[in-house]
Amino acid sequence: MKLNQVQNYDEMSRQAASILISQVRQNPSSTLGLATGGTPLGIYACMVADHRENATSYAQVSTVNLDEYVGLKESDSQSYHFYMQRNLFSHIDIPRDATHIPNGMSPDLLAECRRYDDLLNSLNGVDIQLLGIGANGHIGFNEPGTSFQARTHIVELTETTRAANGRYFPSLQDVPHKAITMGIASIMESRHILLLASGTNKAEAVYALFCDEVSEQNPSSILKKHANVTVIADEAALILAKQKGCVEHPRKTS
Ligand code: PGA
């Protein structure tokens, strides 16, 4: 894994956005794997600003999102469909039918998992997959204990994850218990993986990512087996990994 150490959230966001924008400029029909949550908000803001200022076009880009809650309508302000529209898609020139997010409202969720896998297979591979990291090491909604062989599946969210995401809901009770997520095997097929981590609440997860062995109890650990992963992490997220000596102190640049 290549590590880009940055000072803070803003630097992480600018650097990640610039990698995505370069990808789209080099290959206008790229497939981007997108994520939700607090981490990518700054990246999407940079991409929207760049689209306005430099006219980077997404007219031929396709996107696939990692996950969606089960039971939230697209119009629900907490759904990831809503999040993507609000934070990125409605501000750039991407055609709506080129954006793909699992449907957590499907009456047949197993069929929806198969549909999403078929879609991923039909897209000729994801060029860059954006990933946040959960405090418990999850990637997408692949919680600890998920098989590394998993494809799109339904997950029972851990209480740690529900509590972390509860900040966006009126109360913890409103946070869904289930989600539909792209599996780890599919994530690993992306050509380039960009994992972002910012803040001390990610320090344990980043420590485990760099210092612990590969184990299904730590979903992010599988990324060590991928040939092209870039981790962009800030000082706060790296604090434990540095203290334990798994990550070098000197600052590297990309
Ligand atoms: P966050 O979530 O970006 O809201 O911290 C990351 C994740 O849970 O994967």
Side-chain angles (χ1 to χ4, degrees):
M1 294 190 297
K2 178 182 175 202
L3 171 63
N4 290 358
Q5 299 187 34
V6 295
Q7 268 180 323
N8 53 33
Y9 181 85
D10 287 348
E11 194 182 351
M12 176 192 80
S13 302
R14 281 196 303 274
Q15 205 176 96
S18 128
I19 292 170
L20 290 166
I21 291 163
S22 299
Q23 170 68 36
V24 170
R25 287 188 164 265
Q26 276 166 26
N27 176 5
S29 55
S30 294
T31 298
L32 303 180
L34 300 180
T36 49
T39 306
L41 284 172
I43 299 170
Y44 297 149
C46 291
M47 289 168 75
V48 169
D50 165 77
H51 174 69
R52 286 203 186 114
E53 287 157 25
N54 306 314
T56 302
S57 175
Y58 296 81
Q60 295 174 58
V61 166
S62 298
T63 64
V64 283
N65 265 73
L66 287 166
D67 46 21
E68 178 58 285
Y69 290 114
V70 166
L72 296 191
K73 292 187 186 137
E74 289 187 18
S75 57
D76 189 303
S77 62
Q78 300 311 326
S79 78
Y80 290 160
H81 280 79
F82 192 94
Y83 171 107
M84 290 308 303
Q85 281 301 321
R86 178 176 49 198
N87 295 305
L88 184 64
F89 296 154
S90 66
H91 306 288
I92 60 175
D93 62 340
I94 192 161
R96 180 83 195 240
D97 63 1
T99 65
H100 306 285
I101 305 177
N103 176 12
M105 288 298 289
S106 169
D108 184 343
L109 289 168
L110 290 180
E112 173 59 12
C113 292
R114 286 193 298 272
R115 182 195 73 81
Y116 209 65
D117 283 338
D118 289 346
L119 169 84
L120 294 173
N121 288 333
S122 72
L123 284 175
N124 193 28
V126 170
D127 291 297
I128 301 187
Q129 176 66 57
L130 205 54
L131 293 179
I133 184 168
N136 63 5
H138 75 202
I139 47 176
F141 270 139
N142 292 284
E143 299 283 36
T146 306
S147 165
F148 287 149
Q149 307 309 319
R151 297 287 168 178
T152 306
H153 61 286
I154 305 299
V155 291
E156 196 77 38
L157 298 176
T158 62
E159 286 311 305
T160 323
T161 297
R162 290 187 67 247
N165 291 7
R167 67 193 193 275
Y168 299 113
F169 290 81
S171 79
L172 187 58
Q173 287 174 340
D174 298 304
V175 184
H177 287 268
K178 289 187 179 174
I180 179 167
T181 185
M182 193 191 288
I184 291 172
S186 305
I187 292 172
M188 288 294 282
E189 285 168 4
S190 313
R191 293 186 188 94
H192 184 190
I193 293 175
L194 205 49
L195 182 137
L196 294 313
S198 169
T200 48
N201 61 334
K202 298 298 169 71
E204 283 278 356
V206 170
Y207 163 72
L209 170 63
F210 283 103
C211 308
D212 285 354
E213 58 198 26
V214 175
S215 150
E216 287 182 348
Q217 291 312 312
N218 177 15
S220 68
S221 64
I222 190 66
L223 300 177
K224 287 190 244 219
K225 304 258 184 197
H226 191 287
N228 191 12
V229 174
T230 305
V231 177
I232 308 179
D234 68 10
E235 303 278 347
L238 284 165
I239 196 158
L240 275 179
K242 280 186 180 174
Q243 275 170 10
K244 306 279 181 182
C246 317
V247 161
E248 288 172 23
H249 273 272
R251 185 172 166 165
K252 295 175 189 169
T253 52
S254 52

